């Protein structure tokens, strides 16, 4: 029996994205967004190769889906200077996250799951403070800033447009 709802997963080739697509296969019809290389996929999976920072492609990728799991992130590459990595964070994690939420709004996608990170509160770790969910964000890096931005953007889209938004702070993933 085919699942009726369609889920778009950005960052589908990543560690979390790969696990999520294995776990959700059979429960949802999957549209998988890969940045460049496409791993082996099931024959029923829809594949989109694009960059989340490309607004037009994100709008096209979000058409006809019921929910989006946004897992796409900028990843550090060996030898990249910090300034180049920060630029990648701006393009992927800031612009790309806006594009995901706005594409969802344009197409009336009711649910967005945003993969945040404990990096949104990592600034507390410098003081040896253990965080709780009620504490305000305190990023310890530009990556953490981008995740705090995504959480704030999710709050905005929920309050302004009634979208169901789930921000999940991932600490470690095997």
């Amino acid at each position: 029996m085919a699942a009726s709802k369609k889920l778009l997963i950005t960052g589908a080739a990543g560690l979390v994205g790969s696990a999520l697509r294995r776990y959700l296969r059979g429960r949802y019809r999957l549209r998988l967004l890969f940045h460049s290389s496409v791993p082996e996929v099931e024959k029923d999976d829809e594949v989109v190769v694009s960059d989340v920072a490309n607004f037009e492609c994100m709008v096209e990728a979000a058409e006809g889906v019921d929910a989006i799991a946004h897992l796409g992130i900028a990843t550090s590459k060996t030898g990249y200077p910090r300034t180049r990595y920060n630029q990648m964070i701006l393009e992927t994690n800031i612009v790309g996250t806006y594009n995901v939420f706005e594409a969802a709004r344009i197409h009336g996608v009711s649910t967005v799951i945003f993969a945040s990170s404990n990096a949104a509160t990592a600034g507390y770790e410098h003081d040896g403070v253990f965080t709780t969910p009620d504490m305000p964000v305190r990023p310890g890096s530009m990556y953490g800033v981008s995740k705090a931005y995504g959480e704030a953007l999710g709050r905005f889209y929920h309050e302004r447009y009634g979208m169901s938004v789930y921000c999940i702070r991932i600490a470690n993933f095997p």
Side-chain angles (χ1 to χ4, degrees):
M1 176 177 179
S4 61
K5 295 199 178 221
K6 185 178 286 188
L7 174 67
L8 168 63
I9 301 174
T10 69
L15 196 61
V16 177
S18 294
L20 191 63
R21 59 192 171 100
R22 280 191 307 273
Y23 179 74
L24 296 178
R25 181 164 281 105
R27 294 182 177 127
Y28 296 90
R29 291 177 293 135
L30 300 178
R31 180 175 294 162
L32 308 172
L33 189 134
F34 300 103
H35 180 256
S36 54
S37 60
V38 178
E40 188 174 320
V41 297
E42 296 296 320
K43 65 180 175 94
D44 294 335
D45 293 342
E46 292 181 34
V47 173
V48 177
V49 178
S50 182
D51 187 335
V52 293
N54 182 319
F55 181 74
E56 290 79 15
C57 286
M58 279 313 306
V59 170
E60 185 177 326
E63 185 174 11
V65 302
D66 299 290
I68 300 172
H70 178 40
L71 309 172
I73 60 168
T75 55
S76 180
K77 297 199 179 7
T78 304
Y80 270 43
R82 173 62 55 192
T83 54
R84 176 63 189 127
Y85 179 54
N86 287 344
Q87 185 65 37
M88 291 168 57
I89 288 170
L90 175 65
E91 294 164 3
T92 303
N93 297 13
I94 303 286
V95 173
T97 298
Y98 165 79
N99 289 348
V100 167
F101 278 103
E102 187 59 11
R105 183 197 66 77
I106 288 168
H107 290 296
V109 177
S110 62
T111 305
V112 174
I113 300 100
F114 173 67
S116 187
S117 168
N118 66 336
T121 57
Y124 291 106
E125 293 175 15
H126 298 298
D127 296 336
V129 176
F130 290 100
T131 59
T132 60
D134 60 324
M135 296 172 81
V137 295
R138 188 176 173 203
S141 64
M142 287 303 292
Y143 176 77
V145 168
S146 74
K147 292 304 183 174
Y149 165 81
E151 291 180 17
L153 196 62
R155 176 80 181 228
F156 172 77
Y157 274 82
H158 168 71
E159 290 183 356
R160 178 65 58 94
Y161 303 110
M163 195 179 290
S164 293
V165 177
Y166 301 90
C167 299
I168 302 170
R169 289 186 183 161
I170 301 169
N172 292 311
F173 194 81

